[in-house]
Amino acid sequence: MKAVVPAVGMAVVLSACGGSGDGDAESKPSAGAQGLLTEAQLTDALPEGADLPGFSAEPQSLPLLEAKDVVTTGQAACRPIADMMSVRPRLPRRAMVWATIEADGAPASAPPGTLTLTSHDGDTAAEWMAGLKRAVADCTRFTATSKRGWTYEFTVAPVPPERMGDGTVGYRITNVLDPSGGGNVMSVVRTGTTLATYLLPPSKNGKPRPVPESVATGQEKRIRAAAD
């Protein structure tokens, strides 16, 4: 597994330096009662090695977001997307863990992707998803600022994933300073009160790459097992 900078926020920021799913999905109740997962339970649910088909995974122990990764935007319609990069989103996370994931056969120069698991109180996970769906529909370009000291402009385009879990949403986010123009694809899958967020760079031909259904389904099983 390639080395990564641990506190990158989301890799869309680093790229500058070098559709959502079915709208009815969020009204569907979670399959099986799942309460708030603790950090330990989320850690148990993280993949390692070849746990996810077609990828190798490496859990990370350092925080993905630091205290100074407070990301804001003045464009209200885009706030949920900016919140994905922020340590202080409008809707709080109760716990967060993450792993790097690398597609099998990826070239040595390719950056790894990430899988982030977050737990949320009550209906907050569903609120996150509803907000992201609206943002993907209404937000095409926005400027974000971080207390880390950067201000970047991003473009957003829907990348509808397969319908998975208790709701899905996907979009391609590109820093306008990214020399490749490829951006990254964010795929968010809700399982009860837990969100699994996959960030993947484009495939070799530059096409957006949402999370494969086999990967998301396998990870959903891990989350449900950790909740038992």
Side-chain angles (χ1 to χ4, degrees):
M1 180 67 69
K2 303 177 182 70
V4 294
V5 178
V8 296
M10 290 292 177
V12 290
V13 175
L14 286 184
S15 63
C17 304
S20 67
D22 190 320
D24 294 330
E26 288 315 305
S27 63
K28 184 180 74 171
S30 173
Q34 180 199 303
L36 177 70
L37 266 63
T38 64
E39 183 174 345
Q41 288 173 308
L42 289 180
T43 300
D44 286 344
L46 275 178
E48 186 171 4
D51 285 339
L52 299 179
F55 287 81
S56 56
E58 184 175 333
Q60 303 294 314
S61 58
L62 294 177
L64 176 63
L65 298 173
E66 296 180 346
K68 55 188 173 182
D69 288 311
V70 178
V71 178
T72 57
T73 180
Q75 294 158 254
C78 304
R79 173 70 186 273
I81 295 174
D83 276 350
M84 296 296 286
M85 295 182 274
S86 182
V87 73
R88 196 183 299 165
R90 182 180 68 84
L91 298 171
R93 309 174 182 97
R94 294 307 176 193
M96 170 189 281
V97 300
W98 69 294
T100 52
I101 54 175
E102 182 179 342
D104 295 345
S109 59
T114 60
L115 163 62
T116 305
L117 302 180
T118 55
S119 59
H120 305 265
D121 286 331
D123 295 328
T124 305
E127 290 181 50
W128 264 92
M129 296 294 286
L132 284 171
K133 287 178 183 292
R134 289 192 297 269
V136 171
D138 299 337
C139 176
T140 59
R141 195 178 186 100
F142 71 102
T143 299
T145 298
S146 172
K147 286 189 176 180
R148 184 175 283 276
W150 56 257
T151 296
Y152 291 133
E153 188 173 6
F154 300 93
T155 60
V156 181
V159 180
E162 297 292 331
R163 182 169 177 171
M164 297 170 286
D166 298 324
T168 56
V169 63
Y171 56 95
R172 185 176 190 165
I173 181 166
T174 305
N175 192 314
V176 297
L177 297 182
D178 180 359
S180 72
N184 293 278
V185 175
M186 305 283 286
S187 302
V188 187
V189 182
R190 181 174 72 88
T191 301
T193 61
T194 300
L195 298 182
T197 301
Y198 304 84
L199 184 151
L200 293 175
S203 59
K204 293 180 182 178
N205 59 11
K207 291 185 177 180
R209 181 168 53 179
V211 63
E213 184 177 8
S214 58
V215 170
T217 299
Q219 183 58 47
E220 180 183 5
K221 291 178 181 178
R222 297 180 64 82
I223 292 169
R224 294 199 186 282
D228 290 341

